[in-house]
Amino acid sequence: VGWLCFGLSLLYLPFVLLKARKYVLLFSLGSVFTLGSFSMLWGPWNHLQHLTKRARLPFTISYFSTLFLTIYTAMVMKSTILTVFCALAQFVALLWYVF
């Protein structure tokens, strides 16, 4: 389901200036579903322990907070500007994790 949301968000990529909230919401939901998939594969307790290790804790806090703020600004506040700002912060946190 996570990859489906990522794929659908890529369909909105050419229209990101017009439909930024839809793109960002699909991308964020894809992230949530992918994290949930990892929890099911590794086991929820093992995944939680992995995310809260001392070396990963700064990433976990930054990524989950930007993920929550992105979804909140897209769905509740419906502010395109704040949604884009939070999505950029979420993307930076994701790049921090990968590299």
Side-chain angles (χ1 to χ4, degrees):
V1 175
W3 290 105
L4 176 68
C5 286
F6 283 133
L8 289 174
S9 72
L10 288 176
L11 292 176
Y12 278 101
L13 197 54
F15 306 106
V16 75
L17 293 176
L18 301 173
K19 304 283 186 183
R21 285 192 329 213
K22 287 185 181 183
Y23 167 77
V24 168
L25 191 57
L26 283 168
F27 185 81
S28 297
L29 288 176
S31 295
V32 168
F33 288 135
T34 302
L35 284 168
S37 298
F38 277 114
S39 278
M40 292 301 114
L41 286 173
W42 291 355
W45 183 248
N46 289 334
H47 191 226
L48 184 64
Q49 285 179 333
H50 174 74
L51 288 174
T52 56
K53 285 182 182 175
R54 188 173 183 92
R56 294 218 183 262
L57 199 56
F59 157 75
T60 302
I61 292 170
S62 66
Y63 188 67
F64 279 106
S65 61
T66 58
L67 186 63
F68 171 76
L69 285 173
T70 302
I71 293 172
Y72 181 78
T73 56
M75 292 182 71
V76 177
M77 293 179 67
K78 297 183 181 176
S79 169
T80 303
I81 294 170
L82 286 176
T83 302
V84 169
F85 176 73
C86 290
L88 289 174
Q90 178 186 349
F91 189 70
V92 168
L94 187 61
L95 285 178
W96 177 27
Y97 175 69
V98 173
F99 298 109

